[in-house]
Every structure is written in structure tokens, then in C-alpha cells.
Amino acid sequence: MKDLTRALKRRVELSDSSDWTGAPVPTTPRAAAPAPAAAPRATARPATNPATAATSSSARRKAEVFAELSEKIKTCRACPLGAARIQAVPGVGSHDAQVMFIGEGPGFDEDHKGEPFIGRSGKLLDKIMESIGLSRENVYIANIVKCHPMVDPSDPEKRGNDRPPSPEEIEACRGWLDTQIRTIAPRFLVTLGAVPARVLLGDSTPISKIRGVWRDYEPGAGAAKVRLLPTFHPAALLRNPDLKRDVWADMKNLREEMSKS
Ligand code: SF4
Ligand code: URA
């Protein structure tokens, strides 16, 4: 019963798109509380990157690279996940994004639809992005591995059959993500949870210690460094709503940096 009450309460919290943050309940009038959806300053600047959105020929080139990349990812068998998946999940969003969000790997819902972050944590990610004026149309969302890592690879129809990707799977898949980063050339990367931070930064410090601190990422092949902000994974926020406060602080930090030229 207690669990049911808690689940219902959580559902109510998550259905309120104007306040996913779990900010402390104000004792003063509510208007004084942080209001994530109220002031998306980032919308003052385009969320896509004018520097790379520049010419139609560069847009065409990016579209071609992404079309080819998608085809290659969809038929990739470079690691065992390729044989078990229903479909690969290359990524979604704008090729001119200023910000790329990077998760760990597709789950059940993503494997079925071929799009990242569409399950429960994806719905929360949508709200998190929305609170600073971002959306899945103006950012790019991708994962460290493009196929669903399953505990039992023979049963992709089973829910709860998820596991983290292995080091070998991560290594095999890594090149796809770096190509995506180099092609988009975003100003900012936001890693969601421990795995993408550990993989991209080569740093196993607990996520609770490294979140909110800007780092640099080199996507290889001589491409320019990209600033990277680690934060918690939305799934962690579903398990522990107290973490919302930190993610909201990180999103404000990102919004502030985006507003600088
Ligand atoms: Fe290829 Fe990555 Fe899928 Fe493995 S997870 S099969 S490396 S696309
Ligand atoms: N969790 C992730 O890390 N990525 C997804 O695409 C969905 C859930």
C-alpha cells in the first residue's frame, strides 16, 4: 500500500511539467520558487549552432554523413548486441545542435521503436530539456552503445531484460558516437549517468563527485575539443527524486554557458 501511495505520488510529481526539479517547497509564495519552465533564457539564442548551421552545402554534407552513418549502424554487427537487437538506435535530433545529450544504451522501448530515450526516463529527459528551452528537435540525443544490451539476448520481448553494456561492446561501438560528435560539432556535451561520463572522460570517479563540473572532450581525428558537463541519468532521478535538485543546477549551468557567445 505504501509502495502504491509512493508510486502515485511520484507519478503526480512527474506529470507536472512545470516543476520536475523537486525544488524545496517554498514557504513564501510559490512565484518565488525556482520555476524551470518560466524563463528559458537559452531561447534568446538559437539552440542550434549558427556556426555549423551556416551553409546549405554543409547542411547537405551533414545530412549525407548521417544518412550513411544510420545505414551502417542499422546493419552493424561489430559486437554481439547486433545479433540480439530488434533494431539499432543511432540517435535523434538536429545535425546542427549546440548540445548533445549522451546516454548509456537503448532499453526495451528504444529497441522496439529505434529512437533513444522514449521510455519513462526519456519522458523525464524531455521535461528536463524543456525547462531550459531545449527539445529533441533542437538538440541531438545519442547513446554510448547503439543496440539494446540484454541479460537474456534470446528474449527481446521481455521487459526488465536490461543490463549495462560491457567494456568490449562499448569499445566496439565507440567510433559511431565519435563520428556523430565530429559531424555535429556541438558546443556542449551533456553525459547522463555514470557510464557515458566514465567512457568519454576515462574517469571512474563516482558520478556524484564529477557531476556539474565542466570538462573537455576530444572526439578524435584532430577535431576541436568540446566542453562536457556530466550529470545524473534521468533513471536515477526516477529512483531518487532528491537528485533532481542537482540536475536542475546543472541545467541552469548549461543554460548560462549557452547564453555566452
Ligand atoms: Fe554495432 Fe554498436 Fe550495435 Fe555493437 S552495439 S552491433 S558495435 S552498433
Ligand atoms: N537510457 C539510456 O541511457 N538511453 C536510452 O536511450 C534510454 C534509456
Side-chain angles (χ1 to χ4, degrees):
M1 188 59 195
K2 218 162 149 202
D3 279 347
L4 179 65
T5 314
R6 211 179 298 140
L8 286 173
K9 186 164 168 269
R10 192 172 327 138
R11 189 174 289 184
V12 169
E13 277 167 15
L14 292 172
S15 65
D16 179 359
S17 70
S18 68
D19 190 9
W20 59 269
T21 59
V25 177
T27 47
T28 46
R30 197 171 165 70
R41 247 183 298 157
T43 51
R45 283 167 53 88
T48 50
N49 189 347
T52 50
T55 64
S56 63
S57 76
S58 95
R60 223 176 305 128
R61 189 190 63 80
K62 284 186 178 193
E64 280 166 17
V65 171
F66 267 89
E68 196 182 319
L69 200 57
S70 262
E71 270 322 297
K72 286 186 179 158
I73 292 172
K74 284 177 187 163
T75 53
C76 178
R77 291 282 191 276
C79 84
L81 299 184
R85 69 179 174 223
I86 294 174
Q87 54 187 314
V89 182
V92 70
S94 167
H95 303 160
D96 294 313
Q98 277 204 61
V99 187
M100 277 181 80
F101 285 84
I102 300 171
E104 176 177 312
F108 177 96
D109 293 304
E110 292 76 21
D111 192 22
H112 281 72
K113 196 164 171 213
E115 186 174 329
F117 282 100
I118 52 157
R120 277 186 79 214
S121 41
K123 302 256 177 328
L124 181 53
L125 178 62
D126 285 340
K127 288 179 185 175
I128 291 170
M129 293 190 301
E130 185 192 347
S131 66
I132 55 163
L134 300 176
S135 70
R136 54 178 69 221
E137 284 77 40
N138 61 27
V139 304
Y140 196 85
I141 305 174
N143 282 305
I144 292 285
V145 296
K146 312 301 190 191
C147 306
H148 182 195
M150 287 176 255
V151 179
D152 175 3
S154 73
D155 196 359
E157 295 303 335
K158 188 162 76 188
R159 276 201 182 263
N161 188 14
D162 314 313
R163 63 163 172 82
S166 71
E168 294 76 22
E169 292 155 357
I170 289 170
E171 183 58 32
C173 209
R174 179 77 184 273
W176 297 134
L177 179 64
D178 278 336
T179 306
Q180 290 174 318
I181 296 173
R182 288 197 297 266
T183 308
I184 294 173
R187 291 177 69 204
F188 307 107
L189 299 174
V190 178
T191 52
L192 303 168
V195 170
R198 191 188 70 225
V199 172
L200 296 190
L201 297 172
D203 183 344
S204 301
T205 310
I207 181 68
S208 55
K209 294 234 163 58
I210 57 170
R211 63 138 280 275
V213 180
W214 285 99
R215 307 277 290 265
D216 282 334
Y217 178 64
E218 288 187 34
K225 284 184 196 157
V226 187
R227 298 183 67 207
L228 183 157
L229 185 66
T231 193
F232 290 118
H233 195 286
L237 274 55
L238 292 171
R239 289 191 298 270
N240 179 5
D242 288 350
L243 302 178
K244 289 177 176 178
R245 218 164 297 175
D246 286 337
V247 174
W248 176 228
D250 296 342
M251 291 304 104
K252 285 189 289 188
N253 184 341
L254 171 66
R255 182 176 68 183
E256 187 63 35
E257 293 305 303
M258 286 181 72
S259 72
K260 298 177 184 166
S261 49

